[in-house]
Amino acid sequence: MIANPLLGVLFHWLGGLASASFYVPYRSVKRWSWEIYWLTGGVFSWLIAPWLFASIRTNDLLGVMSQVPSNVVGLCVLFGVLWGFGGLTYGLTMRYLGLSLGMAVVLGLCTVFGTLIPPIVRGTFAHDLLGTPSGRIILLGLLMTLAGIIVVALAGAKKDDDLTPEQKTEAVAEFDFKKGVAVAIFSGIMSACFAFGLAAGEPIKALSAAAGTGPLWTGLPALCLVMFGGLITNGAWCGYLILKNKSAGEWAGKTAEDGSKAPLLANWLLCALAGTAWYFQFFFYTMGESQMGRFGFSSWTLHMASIIIFGTLWGFAFKEWKDARPAVRNMVWTGVALLVGATVVIGYGNMIGG
């Protein structure tokens, strides 16, 4: 199949929309503790959805997985476990900073590590990015992405300086800038491990293709392994919190101290929606990466940029920026414009280099 970078950009935008939107249903979950709704949604994200969609789109999924070398399985799961620490703290970042600012800080670091480290490790950085016109255009797009992320993050810091404590908690109930930034830094670094897990799973694509799977779907089996690693990390932490807080009864409708009961059906459906949306970001990511040719590593930048774009839009929809000065809001839109422009530049670089 001939690469189609413009189609790849579209898939990455769909993945970014799914990622930026996944936390929205969690906001409507009632009277469930964080560890209960996070693990419930996570089972759909890291276990049910990956295997369900891989089994639908992959020819002989079990046969393909049985041929994967044990060292490849180990690396995929290991990087998934490390990524799980990033995903675990990603949810905390949303709680402390809100959707727009939290995503900007986390994904800025994630972009740098996830995009540049794989080609550096493979020894192709100088040739692919510095040695060709298309590579230099992509590098320009990467720099534009970082500039856009920095602008959005600075706007968030300025908003924080301007608002009163009451205004901060009105927009984000548990707002804590210092704690949120610390968590976001850790989350951004560890979240980049997902890109490393996909790179480690490259041999699985060849096995999937040999089984007759179409080019768009060959990356789905690797997701099963990487995301299972994420389940291990998140499951362990949530299990600890459930035992500590004695919150397991909430799954069955345990009555709260005020006598109220959780709307179980609604909570389960909301968590299933949130978890499936979280998975779909990577479903579309693998499709987009399949269209980017030899510059597939730039997919991570496109993915991160699109998440921030849609995350910022959600932030405005939830009025996280309503009390910010006009100059600060304009600064946010400038950052978003840079990110949109960066996706176009990177897509063009891929197109002329393909």
Side-chain angles (χ1 to χ4, degrees):
M1 182 183 70
I2 299 174
N4 185 343
L6 294 182
L7 180 61
V9 170
L10 175 61
F11 285 141
H12 284 307
W13 275 56
L14 290 174
L17 175 61
S19 178
S21 304
F22 94 94
Y23 202 78
V24 175
Y26 283 141
R27 296 170 64 105
S28 298
V29 173
K30 305 296 184 184
R31 292 185 286 280
W32 268 9
S33 302
W34 178 85
E35 62 270 17
I36 295 297
Y37 71 71
W38 187 255
L39 184 57
T40 303
V43 169
F44 286 90
S45 300
W46 308 310
L47 188 63
I48 296 176
W51 284 94
L52 173 63
F53 287 99
S55 65
I56 293 173
R57 302 308 312 174
T58 303
N59 287 345
D60 190 20
L61 174 62
L62 294 181
V64 169
M65 299 301 274
S66 68
Q67 300 177 59
V68 179
S70 58
N71 65 314
V72 173
V73 173
L75 283 174
C76 288
V77 174
L78 173 62
F79 283 122
V81 169
L82 296 176
W83 164 72
F85 285 106
L88 185 65
T89 49
Y90 186 74
L92 294 177
T93 304
M94 301 303 104
R95 289 168 63 186
Y96 295 140
L97 295 182
L99 283 167
S100 50
L101 178 56
M103 286 184 180
V105 178
V106 170
L107 302 180
L109 289 166
C110 197
T111 298
V112 174
F113 285 94
T115 301
L116 298 182
I117 288 181
I120 290 174
V121 170
R122 290 194 297 264
T124 60
F125 178 84
H127 178 269
D128 286 349
L129 269 82
L130 302 179
T132 63
S134 55
R136 289 190 288 271
I137 291 174
I138 290 172
L139 185 59
L140 172 63
L142 297 178
L143 294 175
M144 288 176 62
T145 301
L146 292 178
I149 291 168
I150 291 171
V151 169
V152 173
L154 288 175
K158 288 182 178 295
K159 181 192 76 167
D160 174 63
D161 291 337
D162 291 344
L163 300 185
T164 65
E166 292 76 17
Q167 289 173 321
K168 293 174 187 177
T169 55
E170 181 183 356
V172 182
E174 299 179 68
F175 189 89
D176 189 320
F177 185 74
K178 291 182 179 180
K179 184 185 294 185
V181 168
V183 173
I185 290 173
F186 178 82
S187 177
I189 294 173
M190 300 306 291
S191 293
C193 289
F194 197 95
F196 309 153
L198 293 181
E202 282 293 322
I204 304 176
K205 291 184 179 180
L207 293 172
S208 184
T213 301
L216 279 177
W217 319 108
T218 55
L220 296 182
L223 288 180
C224 297
L225 297 176
V226 179
M227 300 191 85
F228 178 73
L231 176 62
I232 294 173
T233 307
N234 285 267
W237 177 245
C238 289
Y240 164 74
L241 291 179
I242 289 170
L243 291 174
K244 177 185 176 183
N245 300 328
K246 298 180 174 61
S247 52
E250 295 177 12
W251 273 312
K254 177 183 176 182
T255 303
E257 292 181 1
D258 61 1
S260 61
K261 290 187 177 182
L264 288 184
L265 179 60
N267 283 359
W268 278 94
L269 291 176
L270 286 166
C271 289
L273 177 61
T276 304
W278 176 252
Y279 164 75
F280 266 117
Q281 66 169 311
F282 299 115
F283 178 84
F284 286 114
Y285 177 89
T286 58
M287 294 172 65
E289 187 182 35
S290 73
Q291 301 296 307
M292 304 310 288
R294 63 192 179 94
F295 295 109
F297 62 87
S298 64
S299 290
W300 195 249
T301 301
L302 292 170
H303 184 62
M304 296 296 106
S306 61
I307 295 173
I308 296 173
I309 291 168
F310 290 111
T312 301
L313 294 177
W314 276 117
F316 275 93
F318 286 118
K319 299 181 179 180
E320 293 176 0
W321 297 87
K322 70 182 182 67
D323 294 313
R325 289 180 288 116
V328 174
R329 290 197 295 270
N330 290 337
M331 191 175 181
V332 174
W333 291 118
T334 299
V336 171
L338 280 169
L339 293 170
V340 172
T343 63
V344 175
V345 170
I346 293 172
Y348 175 72
N350 276 277
M351 183 175 65
I352 67 172

Short mmCIF file of all heavy atoms in Angstrom, two decimals, residues 268-293:
data_model
loop_
_atom_site.label_atom_id
_atom_site.label_comp_id
_atom_site.label_asym_id
_atom_site.label_seq_id
_atom_site.Cartn_x
_atom_site.Cartn_y
_atom_site.Cartn_z
N TRP A 268 -21.66 2.70 34.91
CA TRP A 268 -21.01 1.66 34.11
C TRP A 268 -20.93 2.08 32.64
O TRP A 268 -19.89 1.90 31.99
CB TRP A 268 -21.75 0.34 34.24
CG TRP A 268 -21.38 -0.43 35.48
CD1 TRP A 268 -22.02 -0.42 36.69
CD2 TRP A 268 -20.28 -1.33 35.63
NE1 TRP A 268 -21.39 -1.25 37.59
CE2 TRP A 268 -20.32 -1.83 36.96
CE3 TRP A 268 -19.27 -1.77 34.78
CZ2 TRP A 268 -19.38 -2.73 37.46
CZ3 TRP A 268 -18.34 -2.69 35.27
CH2 TRP A 268 -18.39 -3.15 36.58
N LEU A 269 -22.01 2.63 32.13
CA LEU A 269 -22.02 3.04 30.71
C LEU A 269 -21.05 4.20 30.47
O LEU A 269 -20.35 4.23 29.45
CB LEU A 269 -23.45 3.45 30.30
CG LEU A 269 -24.47 2.31 30.23
CD1 LEU A 269 -25.86 2.86 29.90
CD2 LEU A 269 -24.05 1.27 29.18
N LEU A 270 -21.00 5.14 31.40
CA LEU A 270 -20.08 6.27 31.25
C LEU A 270 -18.63 5.80 31.28
O LEU A 270 -17.80 6.27 30.50
CB LEU A 270 -20.33 7.30 32.35
CG LEU A 270 -21.60 8.15 32.21
CD1 LEU A 270 -21.91 8.88 33.52
CD2 LEU A 270 -21.46 9.15 31.06
N CYS A 271 -18.32 4.87 32.18
CA CYS A 271 -16.95 4.35 32.25
C CYS A 271 -16.60 3.53 31.01
O CYS A 271 -15.46 3.59 30.53
CB CYS A 271 -16.78 3.49 33.51
SG CYS A 271 -16.77 4.45 35.04
N ALA A 272 -17.57 2.77 30.51
CA ALA A 272 -17.32 2.02 29.28
C ALA A 272 -17.05 2.96 28.11
O ALA A 272 -16.15 2.72 27.29
CB ALA A 272 -18.52 1.12 28.97
N LEU A 273 -17.81 4.06 28.05
CA LEU A 273 -17.60 5.05 27.00
C LEU A 273 -16.24 5.72 27.13
O LEU A 273 -15.51 5.87 26.14
CB LEU A 273 -18.71 6.10 27.06
CG LEU A 273 -18.62 7.27 26.06
CD1 LEU A 273 -18.67 6.75 24.63
CD2 LEU A 273 -19.76 8.26 26.32
N ALA A 274 -15.90 6.11 28.35
CA ALA A 274 -14.61 6.76 28.58
C ALA A 274 -13.45 5.83 28.24
O ALA A 274 -12.48 6.21 27.57
CB ALA A 274 -14.50 7.23 30.03
N GLY A 275 -13.54 4.58 28.70
CA GLY A 275 -12.47 3.63 28.45
C GLY A 275 -12.30 3.30 26.99
O GLY A 275 -11.17 3.20 26.47
N THR A 276 -13.41 3.14 26.27
CA THR A 276 -13.33 2.83 24.84
C THR A 276 -12.77 4.02 24.07
O THR A 276 -11.98 3.84 23.13
CB THR A 276 -14.72 2.45 24.30
OG1 THR A 276 -15.23 1.35 25.08
CG2 THR A 276 -14.64 2.03 22.85
N ALA A 277 -13.15 5.24 24.46
CA ALA A 277 -12.59 6.43 23.81
C ALA A 277 -11.08 6.51 24.03
O ALA A 277 -10.32 6.88 23.12
CB ALA A 277 -13.27 7.68 24.35
N TRP A 278 -10.64 6.16 25.23
CA TRP A 278 -9.20 6.15 25.53
C TRP A 278 -8.46 5.18 24.61
O TRP A 278 -7.39 5.47 24.09
CB TRP A 278 -9.00 5.77 26.99
CG TRP A 278 -7.59 5.63 27.45
CD1 TRP A 278 -6.95 4.47 27.76
CD2 TRP A 278 -6.64 6.67 27.70
NE1 TRP A 278 -5.66 4.71 28.17
CE2 TRP A 278 -5.46 6.06 28.14
CE3 TRP A 278 -6.69 8.05 27.58
CZ2 TRP A 278 -4.32 6.79 28.47
CZ3 TRP A 278 -5.57 8.78 27.91
CH2 TRP A 278 -4.40 8.16 28.35
N TYR A 279 -9.08 3.99 24.37
CA TYR A 279 -8.46 3.02 23.47
C TYR A 279 -8.44 3.54 22.03
O TYR A 279 -7.45 3.35 21.31
CB TYR A 279 -9.21 1.69 23.52
CG TYR A 279 -8.87 0.80 22.35
CD1 TYR A 279 -7.65 0.12 22.30
CD2 TYR A 279 -9.73 0.67 21.26
CE1 TYR A 279 -7.31 -0.67 21.21
CE2 TYR A 279 -9.40 -0.12 20.17
CZ TYR A 279 -8.19 -0.78 20.15
OH TYR A 279 -7.85 -1.55 19.06
N PHE A 280 -9.51 4.20 21.60
CA PHE A 280 -9.63 4.61 20.21
C PHE A 280 -8.54 5.60 19.79
O PHE A 280 -8.24 5.71 18.61
CB PHE A 280 -11.01 5.19 19.92
CG PHE A 280 -11.98 4.17 19.39
CD1 PHE A 280 -13.12 3.85 20.10
CD2 PHE A 280 -11.73 3.53 18.19
CE1 PHE A 280 -14.01 2.90 19.62
CE2 PHE A 280 -12.61 2.58 17.69
CZ PHE A 280 -13.75 2.26 18.41
N GLN A 281 -7.95 6.30 20.75
CA GLN A 281 -6.85 7.17 20.35
C GLN A 281 -5.72 6.37 19.73
O GLN A 281 -5.10 6.78 18.74
CB GLN A 281 -6.33 7.97 21.54
CG GLN A 281 -5.66 7.14 22.62
CD GLN A 281 -4.93 7.98 23.64
OE1 GLN A 281 -4.16 8.87 23.30
NE2 GLN A 281 -5.22 7.73 24.91
N PHE A 282 -5.45 5.18 20.26
CA PHE A 282 -4.37 4.35 19.73
C PHE A 282 -4.84 3.51 18.55
O PHE A 282 -4.03 3.15 17.68
CB PHE A 282 -3.81 3.46 20.84
CG PHE A 282 -3.23 4.26 21.98
CD1 PHE A 282 -3.78 4.22 23.24
CD2 PHE A 282 -2.14 5.10 21.76
CE1 PHE A 282 -3.26 4.97 24.28
CE2 PHE A 282 -1.61 5.86 22.79
CZ PHE A 282 -2.17 5.80 24.05
N PHE A 283 -6.10 3.19 18.50
CA PHE A 283 -6.68 2.52 17.33
C PHE A 283 -6.43 3.39 16.10
O PHE A 283 -5.92 2.91 15.07
CB PHE A 283 -8.18 2.32 17.57
CG PHE A 283 -8.93 1.69 16.43
CD1 PHE A 283 -8.94 0.31 16.29
CD2 PHE A 283 -9.62 2.47 15.52
CE1 PHE A 283 -9.65 -0.29 15.24
CE2 PHE A 283 -10.33 1.89 14.48
CZ PHE A 283 -10.34 0.51 14.34
N PHE A 284 -6.78 4.67 16.20
CA PHE A 284 -6.56 5.58 15.07
C PHE A 284 -5.08 5.92 14.91
O PHE A 284 -4.61 6.19 13.80
CB PHE A 284 -7.38 6.86 15.24
CG PHE A 284 -8.85 6.68 15.00
CD1 PHE A 284 -9.77 6.83 16.03
CD2 PHE A 284 -9.32 6.34 13.75
CE1 PHE A 284 -11.12 6.64 15.81
CE2 PHE A 284 -10.68 6.15 13.51
CZ PHE A 284 -11.58 6.31 14.55
N TYR A 285 -4.32 5.88 16.01
CA TYR A 285 -2.89 6.16 15.92
C TYR A 285 -2.20 5.15 15.03
O TYR A 285 -1.39 5.51 14.16
CB TYR A 285 -2.26 6.14 17.31
CG TYR A 285 -0.76 6.35 17.30
CD1 TYR A 285 -0.22 7.63 17.36
CD2 TYR A 285 0.11 5.27 17.20
CE1 TYR A 285 1.16 7.83 17.33
CE2 TYR A 285 1.48 5.45 17.17
CZ TYR A 285 2.00 6.73 17.23
OH TYR A 285 3.35 6.92 17.19
N THR A 286 -2.48 3.85 15.23
CA THR A 286 -1.83 2.83 14.41
C THR A 286 -2.24 2.96 12.95
O THR A 286 -1.43 2.72 12.05
CB THR A 286 -2.17 1.42 14.92
OG1 THR A 286 -3.59 1.22 14.92
CG2 THR A 286 -1.65 1.21 16.33
N MET A 287 -3.48 3.37 12.70
CA MET A 287 -3.92 3.59 11.32
C MET A 287 -3.16 4.77 10.71
O MET A 287 -2.71 4.71 9.56
CB MET A 287 -5.43 3.85 11.29
CG MET A 287 -6.27 2.66 11.70
SD MET A 287 -8.02 3.06 11.89
CE MET A 287 -8.45 3.51 10.20
N GLY A 288 -3.02 5.85 11.49
CA GLY A 288 -2.31 7.02 10.99
C GLY A 288 -0.84 6.72 10.73
O GLY A 288 -0.29 7.12 9.70
N GLU A 289 -0.23 5.98 11.65
CA GLU A 289 1.19 5.67 11.50
C GLU A 289 1.45 4.84 10.24
O GLU A 289 2.49 4.99 9.58
CB GLU A 289 1.68 4.91 12.73
CG GLU A 289 3.18 4.67 12.76
CD GLU A 289 3.62 3.87 13.96
OE1 GLU A 289 2.86 2.98 14.38
OE2 GLU A 289 4.71 4.14 14.48
N SER A 290 0.49 3.99 9.87
CA SER A 290 0.66 3.15 8.69
C SER A 290 0.71 3.96 7.40
O SER A 290 1.14 3.46 6.36
CB SER A 290 -0.48 2.13 8.60
OG SER A 290 -1.71 2.75 8.22
N GLN A 291 0.26 5.23 7.48
CA GLN A 291 0.22 6.09 6.29
C GLN A 291 1.38 7.07 6.22
O GLN A 291 1.45 7.86 5.26
CB GLN A 291 -1.09 6.88 6.28
CG GLN A 291 -2.34 6.03 6.26
CD GLN A 291 -2.43 5.20 5.00
OE1 GLN A 291 -2.36 5.72 3.89
NE2 GLN A 291 -2.58 3.89 5.16
N MET A 292 2.28 7.07 7.18
CA MET A 292 3.31 8.11 7.26
C MET A 292 4.64 7.72 6.62
O MET A 292 5.61 8.49 6.68
CB MET A 292 3.54 8.53 8.71
CG MET A 292 2.27 8.98 9.44
SD MET A 292 1.29 10.21 8.57
CE MET A 292 2.32 11.65 8.74
N GLY A 293 4.71 6.53 6.02
CA GLY A 293 5.93 6.14 5.34
C GLY A 293 7.11 5.99 6.29
O GLY A 293 6.96 5.63 7.45
#
